[in-house]
Amino acid sequence: MVAKNLFTVKRTLNSVKQSSKYSSIVIRENSVWTQDRVIKSPFKDVEIPNLTLYDYVWQNLDRWPERTASVCAETGRGYTYEQAFKLSNRFAANLRTKFKICDGDSVAVMLPNIPDYPLVALGILAAGGVITSINPNYTAHEVQRQLKMSEAKAIVTLPETVPVIRESLNIAKINIPIIAVKRNDNPVPEGIALFNELSEDIHTDNSVLKQVRRQTNDICFLPYSSGTTGLPKGVELSHRNIIANCEQINDPIVAMHNETTSTHQDSVMGVLPFFHIYAATVLMFHKFSIGAKLVALPKFQPETFLKTIEKHKTNILMVAPPLILLMGSHSAATEKTFEHVKSVCNGAAPLAASDVERFLQTAKHEIDFRQGYGLTETSPTVTIGPKGSKQHATTGPPVGSTELRIVDINLKNLGPNETGEILVRGPQVMRGYRDNPQANKEAFTEDGWFRTGDLAVADENGIITIADRLKELIKVKGFQVPPAELESLLREHPSVNDAAVIGVPHQSKGEAPKAFVVLKDGHKCTERQLSEFVNSKVATYKHVDDITFVDSIPKSAAGKILRRVLKDQYC
């Protein structure tokens, strides 16, 4: 039994406690650990406005109408906040009148990081729709699956991606409107509506938007996450879920932004993909709500990324581990590159303290570096370090109004410094997986705790360190790659009898998929042939280039693939 005094820590944040700057901020005075071994947030509970996400984002528009809302890092094309508001509203009105989008209808967005992305997303919300975001690098095979699962009524993309969309519609045997965002003078395929024309039509009657009836508990965002080893599931996030998370990271002790005033505006790098929950909430929706300048980087290239940080005087960076490794080692990364950077937050996957120190040594000045932890299902932020924290290997305590449990295999609560699965309860936790009662049953305990599938340890102060994953998702450069998806594709090959996929360490990607394949009797097939067969159907980060042929796949009595056995035998 853990000594009782380990559960009676009055404050978790010594550095904050010692700072007079935060003397007026309310921090929970009771124990971080309860006697039942539940970790309470040390931060004050959040007040969640009874608004839709659309109204929440624009509620302070009158304070910064002329400020830059979003700008393209490559071309300089962008919008002020006033322009973004007007254009997104016209787009919304046209979605309802010309495309018959009704309250609760899903509209797919398959775009790279361009300054129009937030306008498209907010326009869908203004129309009463639900955003379902799609990776712009997806193949037609991947796109059609999400379009069918989300029951999308329209899709917004780029002209150059239209052929992929059309192929996906043919595969799915559905017919929905395609709307393209025109960025240059390149021709647009026939039969395609243009976002630019829909949003710039000054004759649009916006009064149709008065018909929208959406409440804070309604679904507004439908990203797809693998959740476990299986195929993607629709994560139902409500307006309240995302607003709660924005308010949680607004807490003065954890906030990484500054107030937008007549003399200051934060410049935030939009390098993380907007279709991913991390960037969607923490960059796009949140930063628009506080009037920051969002610098959109459409295509990642190391030199461009580093030059953009310097050119736009970026002071806030939201990144994932591969970017930290790059910033700490690339020859183009210098002290001058990061001279304006004040705050950096790492998410998507844990990072070693040594990697953090390497970056800070390159920057050569004081930077508030922190790590956060979250999931698509939690909107995403669950934990984040406070300002001034030097515990670079940890992800901090739970954010406001959030409780955590660290449990063993039998869901019994563990105590400080014991490793177990993280369970979460808070206003940012999703409503559930769309049309998937079995997945919901597996994801939530009977008393409403969300099972993350991640292993972690919490110290006496409730500070979390991520240890490993119970679920077997492969994290390639921070992107989720479900083994089951690749295994299913491998088994579609006429020569394959069975297959298993695991994640193995990779120097630049973090992890990479490795496949084990059992061929059918009498069949022959090369590693290259199988790789080409799978890779033609999936996005680049899911590519399988490492294949080992085996006689059998180890499985449990229940038929579950024993991936740990494969790792022990071959890795």
Side-chain angles (χ1 to χ4, degrees), residues 23-64:
S23 60
S24 62
I25 296 173
V26 178
I27 302 179
R28 192 182 297 276
E29 288 289 347
N30 60 308
S31 306
V32 174
W33 286 86
T34 70
Q35 291 189 352
D36 294 329
R37 297 186 173 187
V38 173
I39 304 170
K40 299 280 189 178
S41 173
F43 310 120
K44 65 179 181 180
D45 290 339
V46 296
E47 294 183 10
I48 307 170
N50 186 28
L51 299 170
T52 63
L53 181 57
Y54 170 84
D55 290 329
Y56 176 83
V57 167
W58 295 120
Q59 63 183 328
N60 292 312
L61 174 64
D62 60 336
R63 293 174 54 189
W64 41 70

Side-chain angles (χ1 to χ4, degrees), residues 4 13 29 77 120 210 220 265 277 295 305 327 354 357 360 392 425 438 460-461 478 481 485 531 540-541:
K4 183 178 179 180
L13 314 172
E29 288 289 347
R77 185 177 65 87
V120 170
K210 295 179 182 178
C220 71
Q265 182 187 30
I277 187 63
V295 182
F305 167 63
M327 294 190 295
S354 58
E357 291 304 321
L360 294 177
H392 292 151
R425 187 163 63 185
Q438 181 59 36
E460 294 88 346
N461 297 324
V481 179
E485 178 182 357
S531 290
T540 305
Y541 68 87

Side-chain angles (χ1 to χ4, degrees), residues 199-212:
S199 62
E200 294 171 9
D201 182 3
I202 60 174
H203 301 295
T204 300
D205 181 7
N206 285 2
S207 65
V208 69
L209 299 180
K210 295 179 182 178
Q211 300 171 7
V212 174

Side-chain angles (χ1 to χ4, degrees), residues 508-526:
S508 61
K509 300 177 182 178
E511 280 188 308
K514 177 179 176 62
F516 298 88
V517 172
V518 179
L519 294 177
K520 295 179 180 177
D521 291 341
H523 284 249
K524 291 184 179 180
C525 187
T526 66

Side-chain angles (χ1 to χ4, degrees), residues 72-87:
C72 178
E74 295 178 351
T75 66
R77 185 177 65 87
Y79 304 97
T80 66
Y81 272 91
E82 185 175 33
Q83 289 171 331
F85 176 75
K86 290 181 178 179
L87 293 171

